Amino acid sequence: MLAKMKTLYLELPLRGKFQLWFMPLLVVTAASIGYMSYTTASNQVLDKISQAQDNISSQTVAHLDYLAKDIYDIYSYLSLSSELHDLLSPDASYNSAQVVNSMINRLLSTRQFFQSLLIFSDHFPTIKFNSLNNNEIISYDTYKQSDIYKYTVANVIKGAWGVEAGPLKLFIGDQRKKVFYSKVLVNPETLVQEGLMIIGMTEEDFRRSIIPARDNVEIVVMNESGTIVSDSSGKWSGQSFTDLPYYNHTPMEQVDWKQHDEQWLISHSASSATGWHVLVIQPRTQELQQLGQIRWLTVAFVIMILLVNVPLSWVVSKLLLNPLKQLLKSMRELQAGDFRQSVEIELRDEIGQLGRGYNIMVERIRELIQDVYESELSEKEARLRMLQSQINPHFLYNTLNSIAWMSYREGADKTADMIQRLSVFFRFNLSQGADIITIEKELTIVENYLFLSQIRFGDKLTYAIEVEPHLTQMRIPKLLLQPLVENAVVHGIEQMEGQGFIHLFVYESEGQLVLEVTDNGMGIPAEKLEQMRAAVQARQRAVAPDQADGFALFNTRERLRNYFGDEVAIEVNSRLNFGTSVKIKVNMDRVSVAGGDERDA
């Protein structure tokens, strides 16, 4: 038998031998690829579903935390109200009741999801707010018999979250289930428990605001004790976690969230703010049914390979090699610098896509070369326009200098000095486009401004500028001090009667560069001074642009932070009718010294 099979093999044509060895290898390879493809696709689908569920649970927890924070803010605001504690005391006043009711109406009218608020007390009738109806509410004694009341009293600091379940109804006759937060009211001064506050909403509104709608996805929200607060269908609300079919009715405290039933895909997240748990559940089999098409396509692909590849292997090899040779020849021409290359491939398979992709790549390269050329041309034109634009400032300087020279010749020395100072002021303001200049140049700008202002105000304005010599070449943002000096002139000196004095002092103190502007002007009212200090400390602009002082100080602070970082300080001190002082403090290790070119500029 073996000898006969050996004879048949030796007599078999070469093509037959090739097929004899190639067919089993092809079958095994195709079957392995099909199995690996199906397995990989299954894992990827399950991973994507798991990631999507994790995102849904994280989003739901984020919504929960936001909603809980809003409720905590309402409780904190009311619990710190002296009127509320006065109302809950044995000697409550009528005015306190009006104030408390007004506060509650104002708080809940601005929050669309919170419809009810109850405040129970042994010394005062129950305070009720319900935007849905005027139903009679549960009595305090009845509420004290509920489990949620006992849990609330046992957790005075963090309170308790609950949902109406069984006979517990906050509003008698209202069939809509409520989700609520319950917490003991403690007097912050005496630490005496004066009552209990409940803030609630309907379970339907809670579900709509917290749980996103998803097809074939069930979302369950539970509190710390395992009570289901809400779910995407609304059928589990008020029931226990052990009623769910997903963890074999195991108590929640014994559940290992990482282990799931093979029948379900479950994601779990917990809220650090409320202690609640969120489950996102999908049936595993339903999701895997989508992979059935992939499985059958894989089988069909294997069969097609077996039927087509064997008889056409030589023909296909020739069809494949000819377009590739054409493409290779074109690529060599492209490497030689001919960017007009293009290949014509009629195939629509991967080789055809490769050829069309190659043609698109060559076209993109040609366009990029053209774009680079046009960009360099535009850059040269922009540089030319910039050089041309510099003629205008130089013309202004030359013109002002000519006018000053003519004024000197005609004996108008004071006018000539004004024009000369104005020319210097403009020149240093522009500073050849530089945003960072030395303290010496900045003081020159300030001195020219004060000189021109002194001519305007005459003997009413005097000034002094002092700077420690070793600080003159320190670099600071341009026009940092001039706006502060201008504020001192306009808001401090101009409106006062009598002699005005401005003192500008730049010095080093305790490792910090200090730039101080002081005047003896009108000063700043206390309320406005606080607004200005708040503007300086704000992380975002909190003043309107028409509030010039606070707006200017905020912008000054932002410029300093952009250049020196967050370790900068602006101090504003003022006394009405005595004057104002503004100090800018920067750590010396954040300040750089100008180079020789900058000093000579």
Side-chain angles (χ1 to χ4, degrees), residues 33-97:
I33 292 175
Y35 175 78
M36 291 177 61
S37 299
Y38 178 77
T39 304
T40 302
S42 301
N43 293 334
Q44 289 180 349
V45 168
L46 294 178
D47 288 343
K48 289 182 179 180
I49 293 174
S50 178
Q51 292 176 6
Q53 290 189 172
D54 291 340
N55 290 335
I56 293 174
S57 63
S58 298
Q59 291 175 7
T60 305
V61 168
H63 289 314
L64 282 174
D65 291 345
Y66 179 81
L67 182 69
K69 181 181 182 300
D70 211 6
I71 290 183
Y72 296 157
D73 290 343
I74 294 176
Y75 172 85
S76 298
Y77 182 80
L78 291 175
S79 65
L80 295 176
S81 169
S82 58
E83 289 82 3
L84 176 61
H85 294 292
D86 176 69
L87 187 63
L88 299 179
S89 66
D91 301 325
S93 66
Y94 177 75
N95 290 334
S96 296

Side-chain angles (χ1 to χ4, degrees), residues 9 45 74 122 134 145 190 222 408 416 453:
Y9 176 77
V45 168
I74 294 176
D122 293 325
N134 291 320
Q145 299 174 7
T190 63
M222 303 167 294
Y408 279 125
S453 299

Side-chain angles (χ1 to χ4, degrees), residues 49 62 75 77 103 137 152 185 195 245 257 299 310 317 361 370 385 399 403 421 468 484 489 492 512 538 543 595:
I49 293 174
Y75 172 85
Y77 182 80
M103 290 167 57
I137 63 175
T152 302
L185 282 169
W257 300 110
V299 173
V310 175
S317 63
M361 181 190 70
Q370 182 65 24
R385 287 195 298 269
T399 302
I403 296 174
R421 291 298 184 107
E468 294 181 355
L484 301 180
V489 173
Q512 289 185 316
V543 296

Side-chain angles (χ1 to χ4, degrees), residues 140 143-154 182 196:
Y140 193 18
Y143 184 74
K144 288 181 178 180
Q145 299 174 7
S146 65
D147 293 335
I148 188 66
Y149 173 79
K150 299 174 183 178
Y151 191 80
T152 302
V153 173
S182 174
L196 185 140

Side-chain angles (χ1 to χ4, degrees), residues 470-489:
H470 69 284
L471 301 176
T472 57
Q473 298 306 314
M474 295 293 179
R475 303 169 75 247
I476 60 174
K478 183 175 67 177
L479 294 180
L480 180 65
L481 297 175
Q482 190 273 336
L484 301 180
V485 174
E486 183 175 353
N487 279 345
V489 173

Side-chain angles (χ1 to χ4, degrees), residues 319-321 323-324 327 345 347 349-356:
L319 291 176
L320 291 176
L321 287 175
L324 289 175
L327 182 60
I345 299 178
L347 295 175
D349 56 7
E350 288 81 357
I351 295 181
Q353 294 177 9
L354 180 62
R356 287 187 290 273

